[in-house]
Amino acid sequence: MEDYEVYTLPNGIRIAHKQMPHTQIAHCGIMLDIGSRDEQPQQQGLAHFWEHMAFKGTEKRKSYHIITRLENIGGELNAYTTKEKVCFHASVLDAHFEKATELLADITFHSIFPEKQIERERGVILEEMAMYYDSPEDAIQDDFDELVFPNHALGGNILGTTETVGSFRREDLQQFIAQNYDTSRIVFASVSKLPFKQVVKVAEKYFREVPAQHSARQRKKPTDYVPRQTRVERPITQAQCAIGRPAYGLTDPRRLPFFMLVNLLGGPGMNSRLNLNLREKYGLVYSIDASYTPYLDTGFLGIYFGTDPKKVDKAQSLIGKELKRLREQPLTTLQLHQTKEQLIGQLAMAEESNNSFMLMMAKSLLDIDRVEALNDIFNDIKSVTAGQLQSLAQEVFDESQFSSLTFVPEK
């Protein structure tokens, strides 16, 4: 990570690049610091709608030409929307880097949102919403956000509601972008074997003329959290359960040790405490995981699992015992060492993906104005003590402050 370079254009857009000499693929993307949390209630789902509509026509291209531009040369064009970001990105052979950059600039800054395409894409998104609703393990995560962040856009579904999506017009997209668009909060990131000077030259060609624009937007921190326990009947056979609460934000110094603690509790490793207990020891679940998502000014801790409806109480009791164990028993020297080594290994393997690194680089520059060197992160992990982890567990793993949402089969 130490050898990434950044150049800022006069309009505020930053160009970030990491040169990787032993690859033939160029990964690049434009990330904007705009997400679903920036929507007003009547705009819910508009950031995601914009992501879709960016592919539906620009000042010089129709939808077909956007879709096939990179596919015809073996490349990929994609996009995604999160609570705080919208990103358009591409992967191509490095010989086609300029084509990818030009296309990304075109769909990001020159989309025209044709009215006919809006009607068509509205139907596509409504089908996407129906697909998620029919998948209870996905739907519960979206619904649980609303429980943890009530009366706040962070609690809203990124896809929106059938009412809001059904109401969007071209002027709504234009107004939303105008309200939130800020060229100083845009990063174009790339990873390839191309030299930085060449990347900057290409990026300048397509981004330099983008007019500078600044937004007076102020993000509002969620403040209305009160623990709530909710059960909802759904036409399902397996119960789905979500447990969690707000947690630390992006700039909180406790973020990294807390991430380590959550990774120990229910991370992707099969040796996580929740997996060893609920799946391996008792056979109550097929999968269970704990996740921690930090946002600008708050964070989210969630634990998810599915089980037989008759075993929900037993599963929740076992989760409570694991939380209590972390509150009351500090890790041994060996346990602490293994926890650190596991996280270091996971992070090192994640960096092996050049595309993932490119996206992480853009997000880090927007969130904390730098890309943390991997060795610095490793050193921070190595400095965490058992006492720190226990203190965090005592503070956040207080079950009286947890909310829960359970989907149960209809009677």
Side-chain angles (χ1 to χ4, degrees):
M1 291 189 194
E2 290 82 358
D3 56 355
Y4 78 95
E5 297 178 85
V6 179
Y7 175 76
T8 304
L9 295 173
N11 56 18
I13 296 175
R14 281 175 285 179
I15 314 302
H17 178 65
K18 180 175 181 179
Q19 188 173 15
M20 295 289 289
H22 304 298
T23 179
Q24 301 297 315
I25 305 301
H27 302 281
C28 54
I30 299 176
M31 190 173 292
L32 303 96
D33 195 35
I34 304 172
S36 63
R37 75 169 296 175
D38 302 309
E39 299 161 349
Q40 299 300 314
Q42 72 276 11
Q43 296 176 322
Q44 189 180 342
L46 202 47
H48 176 255
F49 205 97
W50 169 27
E51 173 216 315
H52 275 241
M53 285 304 303
F55 292 78
K56 300 307 172 185
T58 68
E59 294 165 5
K60 65 179 182 181
R61 285 187 175 96
K62 293 188 181 296
S63 176
Y64 173 81
H65 300 111
I66 292 171
I67 293 170
T68 59
R69 173 71 168 163
L70 300 185
E71 296 283 345
N72 285 345
I73 54 174
E76 295 178 356
L77 177 66
N78 216 327
Y80 63 86
T81 305
T82 69
K83 303 279 185 178
E84 296 184 330
K85 303 288 185 284
V86 170
C87 181
F88 305 101
H89 59 102
S91 299
V92 291
L93 286 169
D94 51 41
H96 302 304
F97 171 73
E98 183 168 349
K99 284 184 179 179
T101 303
E102 186 275 331
L103 183 63
L104 289 171
D106 195 31
I107 66 174
T108 304
F109 302 113
H110 303 291
S111 289
I112 57 174
F113 313 126
E115 290 286 359
K116 286 184 179 179
Q117 292 282 6
I118 286 177
E119 289 307 314
R120 192 171 301 158
E121 207 59 26
R122 193 192 316 281
V124 171
I125 293 174
L126 290 172
E127 289 301 321
E128 184 180 2
M129 293 168 66
M131 179 183 71
Y132 275 97
Y133 183 82
D134 285 344
S135 174
E137 60 269 25
D138 292 324
I140 195 168
Q141 298 190 35
D142 289 328
D143 291 357
F144 189 54
D145 286 350
E146 190 174 352
L147 218 61
V148 177
F149 299 116
N151 309 312
H152 193 279
L154 278 175
N157 190 323
I158 291 173
L159 301 182
T161 68
T162 54
E163 292 76 20
T164 57
V165 171
S167 71
F168 293 151
R169 299 292 180 265
R170 186 169 183 259
E171 54 268 27
D172 297 319
L173 287 160
Q174 294 170 326
Q175 182 182 36
F176 176 73
I177 294 170
Q179 289 170 341
N180 293 282
Y181 180 84
D182 188 325
T183 45
S184 68
R185 304 296 299 162
I186 297 174
V187 170
F188 173 72
S190 73
V191 174
S192 71
K193 72 175 183 182
L194 301 174
F196 183 55
K197 285 184 178 180
Q198 183 176 345
V199 170
V200 170
K201 183 179 179 181
V202 171
E204 279 194 308
K205 182 177 178 180
Y206 299 107
F207 301 133
R208 192 179 186 90
E209 299 308 315
V210 175
Q213 184 173 327
H214 299 285
S215 169
R217 177 197 73 194
Q218 294 289 325
R219 283 174 166 163
K220 179 184 175 185
K221 182 177 180 178
T223 56
D224 295 341
Y225 179 71
V226 176
R228 294 166 58 197
Q229 322 303 321
T230 302
R231 291 172 74 91
V232 178
E233 290 189 3
R234 294 280 297 268
I236 53 179
T237 56
Q238 184 189 49
Q240 297 288 329
C241 189
I243 304 169
R245 59 166 295 174
Y248 306 114
L250 274 165
T251 59
D252 195 300
R254 296 166 292 187
R255 175 174 63 95
L256 183 60
F258 186 65
F259 183 75
M260 186 190 309
L261 182 67
V262 175
N263 199 54
L264 168 67
L265 174 68
M270 293 184 68
N271 64 338
S272 76
R273 292 196 171 185
L274 292 179
N275 191 68
L276 287 175
N277 199 341
L278 276 78
R279 173 175 168 148
E280 299 302 326
K281 186 175 181 179
Y282 289 97
L284 295 178
V285 301
Y286 173 70
S287 67
I288 181 167
D289 66 86
S291 61
Y292 162 51
T293 306
Y295 298 116
L296 173 70
D297 44 15
T298 187
F300 174 82
L301 166 68
I303 301 171
Y304 301 97
F305 67 92
T307 190
D308 185 295
K310 297 176 182 177
K311 298 176 181 177
V312 169
D313 292 343
K314 172 70 172 176
Q316 290 182 339
S317 174
L318 291 173
I319 292 170
K321 287 181 179 179
E322 290 302 327
L323 296 173
K324 181 179 180 182
R325 188 152 71 103
L326 287 167
R327 291 196 307 267
E328 296 182 352
Q329 298 176 20
L331 299 187
T332 65
T333 301
L334 178 60
Q335 288 171 336
L336 180 62
H337 174 73
Q338 291 173 336
T339 299
K340 292 177 179 180
E341 288 298 304
Q342 182 173 26
L343 183 56
I344 287 171
Q346 289 171 348
L347 293 174
M349 284 191 284
E351 196 203 359
E352 287 289 298
S353 166
N354 289 341
N355 188 58
S356 295
F357 179 84
M358 179 272 294
L359 297 172
M360 181 280 295
M361 182 165 58
K363 185 176 185 298
S364 292
L365 285 170
L366 289 173
D367 286 338
I368 60 176
D369 211 30
R370 68 185 190 280
V371 181
E372 295 175 290
L374 200 59
N375 284 335
D376 290 342
I377 297 174
F378 291 169
N379 289 333
D380 289 342
I381 291 172
K382 291 173 183 176
S383 70
V384 174
T385 67
Q388 281 179 285
L389 295 180
Q390 185 179 13
S391 177
L392 292 173
Q394 290 169 347
E395 183 176 346
V396 185
F397 292 170
D398 176 0
E399 292 166 79
S400 68
Q401 294 302 306
F402 274 47
S403 292
S404 70
L405 172 62
T406 308
F407 288 171
V408 296
E410 293 174 338
K411 295 178 181 177

